[in-house]
């Protein structure tokens, strides 16, 4: 898999509630709720850690899934979030813009 | 309400999180609205550092939806610093303001900081009526100019029109004004007692006959009463086990002095952030526990009222009338009028 890098989008509000992350867009009030896997990816979306590394370190051990299929699913997932401007997805590290915080977790 | 938002609110309820917080940054104001419930003197506002600490605590507690209000919040010279801090913590921020201090550069900054909505109070489409209510000459023109600045930045603006005797017939004009400005519009006939218990402002409430006219006005897409009141929905089986409202359950209010109340309209002192951590107050305050213990079934008058399923009873208003388990006379009146409006609707 070509290395992909993910960064949290701009102009978003977000809060992690236990295993879910609620995201709200300032521009159109779009509301999104990420499940546990999405929450892990969101929290790790620092723009510089390759997606494959995130999947291997955080997703696979937790959900007992093989790396290849987990990576395929993750790519599809982050591209979908990219289409909604929830994540910025790039084939090179994303360092040009500040990555908003993942949000303080609550009741986790 | 969207299904997804229902899910978020249910999750917050299950986890007992304060997902929504109304935070008044100041009670100082540059208007003197005739119906206002606040004391505008500064009795020791939270400092910049204290507000930031409170925001840190709210973020850690799980708050997502944050309303910054006042008083007039732009009177705080650190307002933009606090707004930037809140946004950096990931809050969804809405502002409530009279907007008369907002210039073009301020509107740009508000947009850049990712504010989702700005609510501006407009009392009439006629400047002399609006200015008569705010007691500030020229306030109408300044507020409208600010709305144009905000809209030019692509911001979502909500014009809030509080109805009282002085402006009772003007809401269609305000509604048209909002449409012309590209703003949303909301109407509220609720006049609340002052926070010190003074009820003199209640004489400003519009008479019942006029309330009925409002409730039967088909031009209002968002009437003050929820659709269930008009449609006559049957209550769900476990309706009486529900909480009366979100106050103290998933929402609370923070005053400029760090006081915690269940809601901005529910001035039950429940703790102070200068003496205790937010989480301790939220989880252990006896006052909040008492509020949470009340279900609709525990309301001796309201639980047997025929209008219970459609009533928007506010426990805070009931509290201000002397009993948080009692009825709120203002909501009783609104429910009766809504029932009459439904009868008229069904007859036509």
């Amino acid at each position: 898999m070509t290395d992909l890098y993910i960064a949290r989008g701009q102009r978003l509000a977000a809060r992690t509630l236990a295993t879910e992350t609620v995201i709200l867009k300032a521009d159109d009030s779009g509301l999104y709720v990420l499940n546990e896997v999405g929450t892990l990816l969101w929290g790790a979306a620092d723009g510089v850690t390759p997606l494959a590394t995130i999947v291997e370190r955080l997703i696979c051990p937790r959900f007992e899934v093989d790396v290849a299929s987990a990576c395929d699913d993750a790519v599809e997932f982050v591209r979908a979030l990219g289409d909604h401007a929830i994540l910025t997805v790039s084939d090179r590290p994303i360092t040009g813009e500040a990555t908003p915080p993942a949000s303080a977790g609550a009741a986790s | 309400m969207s299904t997804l938002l229902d899910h978020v609110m249910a999750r917050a309820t299950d986890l007992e999180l304060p997902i929504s917080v109304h935070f008044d940054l100041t009670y100082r104001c540059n208007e003197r609205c005739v119906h206002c419930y606040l004391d505008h003197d500064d009795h020791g506002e939270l400092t910049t550092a204290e507000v930031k600490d409170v925001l840190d605590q709210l973020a850690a507690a799980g708050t997502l939806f944050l309303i910054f209000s006042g008083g007039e919040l732009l009177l705080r010279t650190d307002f933009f610093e606090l707004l930037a801090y809140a946004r950096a913590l990931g809050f969804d921020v809405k502002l409530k303001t009279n907007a008369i201090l907002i210039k073009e550069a301020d509107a740009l900054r508000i947009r850049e900081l990712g504010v989702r909505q700005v609510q501006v109070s407009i009392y009439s489409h006629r400047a002399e009526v609006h200015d008569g209510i705010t007691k500030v000459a020229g306030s109408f023109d300044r507020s409208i100019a600010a709305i144009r600045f905000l809209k030019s930045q692509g911001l979502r603006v909500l014009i809030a029109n509080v109805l009282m005797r002085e402006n009772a017939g003007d809401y269609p004009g305000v509604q048209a004004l909002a449409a012309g400005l590209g703003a949303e519009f909301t109407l509220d006939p609720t006049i609340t007692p002052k926070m010190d218990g003074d009820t003199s402002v209640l004489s400003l409430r519009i008479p019942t006959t006029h309330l009925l006219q409002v409730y039967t006005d088909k031009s209002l897409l968002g009437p003050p009463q929820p659709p269930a009141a008009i449609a006559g929905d049957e209550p769900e089986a476990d309706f009486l086990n529900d909480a009366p409202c979100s106050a103290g359950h998933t929402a609370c209010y923070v005053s400029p002095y760090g006081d915690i109340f269940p809601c901005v309209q529910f001035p039950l002192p429940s703790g102070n952030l200068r003496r205790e951590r937010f989480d301790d107050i939220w989880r252990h305050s006896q006052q909040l526990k008492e509020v949470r213990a009340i279900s609709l079934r525990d309301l001796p008058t309201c639980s047997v009222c025929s209008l219970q399923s459609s009533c928007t009873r506010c426990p805070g208003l009931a509290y201000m009338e002397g009993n948080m388990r009692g009825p709120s006379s203002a909501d009783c009146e609104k429910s009766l009028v809504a029932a009459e409006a439904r009868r008229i609707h069904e007859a036509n």
Side-chain angles (χ1 to χ4, degrees):
Chain A
M1 178 182 79
T2 304
D3 274 348
L4 282 182
Y5 298 85
I6 55 174
R8 291 179 285 277
Q10 303 291 311
R11 306 177 58 72
L12 304 174
R15 194 68 71 222
T16 297
L17 312 179
T19 57
E20 295 181 336
T21 296
V22 183
I23 298 172
L24 199 50
K25 293 171 74 172
D27 291 332
D28 63 5
S29 297
L31 179 66
Y32 303 80
V33 178
L34 305 183
N35 63 13
E36 188 172 359
V37 175
T39 294
L40 289 171
L41 291 172
W42 171 262
D46 59 5
V48 296
T49 306
L51 178 61
T53 304
I54 295 171
V55 170
E56 192 172 349
R57 287 181 185 166
L58 296 180
I59 308 294
C60 293
R62 189 142 182 166
F63 297 98
E64 296 180 2
V65 60
D66 69 272
V67 175
S69 58
C71 279
D72 288 346
D73 290 346
V75 168
E76 185 179 348
F77 183 71
V78 301
R79 290 208 185 281
L81 291 182
D83 290 343
H84 290 278
I86 301 300
L87 290 175
T88 300
V89 183
S90 173
D91 57 6
R92 59 190 66 182
I94 304 161
T95 55
E97 52 189 318
T99 302
S103 98
S108 49
Chain B
M1 189 186 291
S2 75
T3 302
L4 205 51
L5 188 54
D6 282 339
H7 170 81
V8 172
M9 299 311 291
R11 194 85 172 121
T13 301
D14 290 345
L15 295 168
E16 299 180 340
L17 300 179
I19 193 99
S20 303
V21 169
H22 180 131
F23 194 162
D24 278 348
L25 294 174
T26 182
Y27 284 158
R28 289 174 290 132
C29 196
N30 46 8
E31 292 184 340
R32 286 293 179 272
C33 298
V34 296
H35 63 290
C36 187
Y37 53 87
L38 295 174
D39 166 8
H40 294 302
D41 293 334
D42 179 359
H43 297 288
E45 293 173 2
L46 296 173
T47 64
T48 305
E50 286 176 319
V51 172
K52 288 181 177 179
D53 181 47
V54 171
L55 293 172
D56 287 338
Q57 293 182 55
L58 293 176
T63 301
L64 172 62
F65 305 109
L66 180 67
I67 293 173
F68 272 154
S69 184
E72 175 45 46
L73 43 79
L74 274 96
L75 286 176
R76 278 196 73 127
T77 55
D78 58 359
F79 166 67
F80 280 105
E81 180 181 350
L82 297 174
L83 175 57
Y85 194 83
R87 287 291 297 127
L89 287 170
F91 289 105
D92 169 65
V93 179
K94 292 183 178 180
L95 307 179
K96 291 188 175 183
T97 171
N98 60 40
I100 66 176
L101 292 175
I102 294 177
K103 306 300 183 196
E104 199 162 11
D106 304 309
L108 172 61
R109 194 145 183 223
I110 289 169
R111 187 194 67 78
E112 286 177 340
L113 287 170
V115 168
R116 190 159 64 87
Q117 183 190 71
V118 182
Q119 178 176 316
V120 182
S121 301
I122 298 292
Y123 300 106
S124 173
H125 59 297
R126 297 180 292 158
E128 65 275 19
V129 175
H130 177 92
D131 292 359
I133 289 171
T134 66
K135 302 295 183 193
V136 175
S139 59
F140 176 83
D141 290 341
R142 293 172 68 181
S143 292
I144 297 301
I147 291 171
R148 293 188 198 282
F149 290 142
L150 294 163
K151 288 305 299 179
S152 73
Q153 292 297 332
L155 282 156
R156 185 177 163 199
V157 176
L158 174 66
I159 287 181
N161 184 190
V162 176
L163 274 186
M164 61 196 96
R165 288 179 183 272
E166 278 80 347
N167 65 352
D170 285 5
Y171 71 85
V174 180
Q175 190 178 24
L177 176 65
L181 291 165
E184 296 164 65
F185 170 78
T186 184
L187 193 59
D188 187 356
T190 307
I191 302 291
T192 61
K194 295 193 174 193
M195 291 189 88
D196 64 4
D198 180 356
T199 58
S200 60
V201 292
L202 300 186
S203 64
L204 296 171
R205 285 176 175 167
I206 60 172
T208 303
T209 50
H210 204 96
L211 195 58
L212 180 60
Q213 183 183 328
V214 172
Y215 274 46
T216 52
D217 186 339
K218 292 178 179 173
S219 75
L220 294 172
L221 295 175
Q225 198 73 7
I230 304 300
D233 287 355
E234 291 299 319
E236 295 176 10
D238 60 352
F239 175 76
L240 288 174
N241 293 324
D242 289 351
C245 76
S246 64
H249 293 262
T250 56
C252 73
Y253 168 75
V254 182
S255 85
Y257 313 125
D259 296 312
I260 299 290
F261 300 147
C263 170
V264 66
Q265 286 196 154
F266 197 160
L268 172 67
S270 303
N272 184 279
L273 292 164
R274 281 179 164 140
R275 295 189 294 272
E276 300 166 85
R277 303 290 294 171
F278 177 83
D279 198 55
D280 289 334
I281 297 171
W282 181 253
R283 299 201 176 280
H284 305 303
S285 156
Q286 290 306 311
Q287 292 81 9
L288 292 180
K289 284 183 178 178
E290 182 181 5
V291 170
R292 290 176 192 136
I294 301 172
S295 69
L296 291 172
R297 193 179 301 281
D298 301 319
L299 308 178
T301 304
C302 301
S303 63
V304 294
C305 175
S306 62
L307 300 175
Q308 58 175 253
S309 65
S310 59
C311 182
T312 55
R313 173 189 177 273
C314 170
L317 291 178
Y319 170 77
M320 283 190 272
E321 289 187 21
N323 180 6
M324 71 170 88
R325 291 174 178 77
S328 145
S329 61
D331 291 316
C332 292
E333 182 187 15
K334 282 193 282 188
S335 289
L336 287 166
V337 171
E340 176 64 7
R342 187 176 70 193
R343 190 192 63 74
I344 291 169
H345 175 79
E346 288 170 349
N348 292 330

